[in-house]
Amino acid sequence: MADTLYYFPPCPFSRKVRILMREKGLDFSMVEENPWKRRKEFVEINPVCQVPVLVSTKSVVVDSQAICEYIEEVYGGESRMGRSPYERAKVRRLVYWIDCKFYHEVTRYVINEKIAKQYTKHGSPNPSLIRASMSNLQSHVRYMEHLIDTNGWLASREFTLADIALSAHISLLDYMGIFPWDLSPTLKEWYSLVKSKPSFSQILGDRIPGFAPPVHYAQLDF
Amino acid sequence: MADTLYYFPPCPFSRKVRILMREKGLDFSMVEENPWKRRKEFVEINPVCQVPVLVSTKSVVVDSQAICEYIEEVYGGESRMGRSPYERAKVRRLVYWIDCKFYHEVTRYVINEKIAKQYTKHGSPNPSLIRASMSNLQSHVRYMEHLIDTNGWLASREFTLADIALSAHISLLDYMGIFPWDLSPTLKEWYSLVKSKPSFSQILGDRIPGFAPPVHYAQLDF
């Protein structure tokens, strides 16, 4: 029986796992799960009620990075984590930077202020928090640009989980029409290459109720 | 030549790596590095100027979890990450919870408001942020207590990196005299067991300029 991924379209961590699983050619089904609804059956699977969760006949794995490491360990195939312990250290370092620091300084505000408030019909976005996140984004863009200029892809010459993690966050910001592409031709070219990967393409079909993506969202050349 | 750990006493991530390296019996030297000083030689080693950093003759590894995974991969010895892919998934999930969520909701405010402002002599603590962090701490305490009640240690029946990560954060809060031990006899007993480990003992000797720890800080029975 194939694994099941509990997935929420506005969640960058759900997107990251889905891209990795497609990148590795894994067979899996998806359940769309809105964690803000706190669905009883889902809380039984994951009491802290966070997505993504990977459920197989043998295990329930919670947390996007724990899932990605688990997939790398258990499912084999070509690694997206780097080819040596030192390369893996570079990939992990960037994944944590993106999923923890970038998330807390940028993506989280966009999700909490714009998307969560639309989904829950509770309150309206705080513009000063959105402005703060866009200001924080600028220094992250410069850092990521520096990494791509130095390495080719983010962590090395190869497409790794670091690129997957960043593309998951950026795809969400781009869907919301707030990614400042003019700031960085380097990042725009990098994202265009990511978009062209078959593992990434399905992400572009996700829709977030209440928000329509900009026209360029699914275009490879934008 | 032994490895060098760039270490900052008020940094829970530095503490985590130091405890793991001692737990695995590794030979290493330490350089005390205050990242807020942005020392030129350190910025050359790590341009984003974060601690901890592990430097060996062959590599510079940045980010506490990347360092811990690297140590587990390269240095062998008894693992503190779990015995199977599924156990490792449980350990990693909790380490990310502690180092990302617990950090951003609790420890970060204490470091930024109390310690950083004392070190840099710039501004005074914002009491509403400290209150918010102490309020957030309560739900984390209940979750951690539930895990210990269920598993013995945090992630399993064995002492793992999840326990090391949590003890690193709690030791800092306890040094600052703000951990609410009355809230949780379970966590108090757990921390007493962690304190008794030789790998942890040196942490209790760290001092943070401008702050004296409470009398019970280094006592095993507190």
Side-chain angles (χ1 to χ4, degrees), chain B residues 21-148:
Chain B
M21 291 180 81
R22 293 257 304 162
E23 187 70 17
K24 296 185 77 92
L26 301 178
D27 181 25
F28 63 104
S29 59
M30 290 208 313
V31 171
E32 192 171 318
E33 186 68 48
N34 176 347
W36 297 320
K37 285 192 176 159
R38 298 192 64 84
R39 189 169 63 92
K40 190 173 154 240
E41 292 80 1
F42 183 63
V43 174
E44 274 166 21
I45 292 170
N46 179 16
V48 297
C49 200
Q50 283 193 326
V51 282
V53 176
L54 184 68
V55 177
S56 71
T57 42
K58 285 186 288 185
S59 59
V60 174
V61 185
V62 177
D63 179 279
S64 76
Q65 191 56 18
I67 295 172
C68 290
E69 298 270 4
Y70 182 81
I71 287 169
E72 286 280 336
E73 284 191 23
V74 172
Y75 293 82
E78 206 183 329
S79 174
R80 292 290 175 274
M81 290 288 291
R83 292 173 186 271
S84 67
Y86 186 51
E87 272 197 17
R88 283 191 283 282
K90 290 200 288 182
V91 170
R92 286 182 177 122
R93 163 200 180 167
L94 290 174
V95 170
Y96 305 140
W97 181 281
I98 294 159
D99 282 350
C100 197
K101 200 169 165 65
F102 187 96
Y103 170 72
H104 275 92
E105 293 180 2
V106 181
T107 329
R108 184 176 60 124
Y109 291 116
V110 175
I111 294 173
N112 289 354
E113 293 304 311
K114 287 181 176 267
I115 302 174
K117 287 181 175 173
Q118 164 73 19
Y119 264 78
T120 59
K121 309 284 181 204
H122 192 73
S124 55
N126 179 335
S128 71
L129 290 178
I130 299 293
R131 269 198 305 276
S133 74
M134 291 299 100
S135 165
N136 295 338
L137 176 59
Q138 294 191 19
S139 56
H140 285 288
V141 164
R142 282 193 295 273
Y143 180 42
M144 297 300 154
E145 201 168 26
H146 163 74
L147 291 169
I148 294 165

Side-chain angles (χ1 to χ4, degrees), chain A residues 139-202:
Chain A
S139 57
H140 285 289
V141 164
R142 281 193 295 273
Y143 180 42
M144 296 301 153
E145 201 168 27
H146 164 74
L147 291 170
I148 293 165
D149 282 339
T150 308
N151 301 321
W153 289 95
L154 266 188
S156 71
R157 290 184 183 192
E158 292 182 347
F159 178 73
T160 68
L161 191 62
D163 299 285
I164 293 175
L166 184 63
S167 70
H169 288 263
I170 285 185
S171 65
L172 184 68
L173 301 177
D174 193 35
Y175 183 96
M176 300 300 290
I178 55 178
F179 196 86
W181 291 115
D182 294 347
L183 273 187
S184 174
T186 301
L187 217 55
K188 195 170 174 177
E189 189 187 341
W190 166 88
Y191 189 55
S192 183
L193 289 170
V194 175
K195 267 185 174 175
S196 70
K197 291 194 172 273
S199 59
F200 185 82
S201 59
Q202 286 183 344

Side-chain angles (χ1 to χ4, degrees), chain B residues 105-214:
Chain B
E105 293 180 2
V106 181
T107 329
R108 184 176 60 124
Y109 291 116
V110 175
I111 294 173
N112 289 354
E113 293 304 311
K114 287 181 176 267
I115 302 174
K117 287 181 175 173
Q118 164 73 19
Y119 264 78
T120 59
K121 309 284 181 204
H122 192 73
S124 55
N126 179 335
S128 71
L129 290 178
I130 299 293
R131 269 198 305 276
S133 74
M134 291 299 100
S135 165
N136 295 338
L137 176 59
Q138 294 191 19
S139 56
H140 285 288
V141 164
R142 282 193 295 273
Y143 180 42
M144 297 300 154
E145 201 168 26
H146 163 74
L147 291 169
I148 294 165
D149 282 339
T150 308
N151 300 323
W153 290 95
L154 266 189
S156 70
R157 291 184 182 191
E158 293 181 346
F159 178 73
T160 69
L161 192 62
D163 300 285
I164 292 174
L166 183 64
S167 71
H169 288 263
I170 285 185
S171 66
L172 184 68
L173 301 177
D174 193 35
Y175 182 97
M176 300 300 289
I178 56 177
F179 196 86
W181 291 115
D182 295 346
L183 275 188
S184 174
T186 301
L187 217 55
K188 196 170 175 178
E189 189 187 340
W190 166 87
Y191 188 56
S192 184
L193 289 170
V194 176
K195 266 184 173 175
S196 71
K197 291 194 172 276
S199 59
F200 185 83
S201 59
Q202 286 182 346
I203 299 294
L204 298 171
D206 281 346
R207 287 296 172 269
I208 303 174
F211 300 95

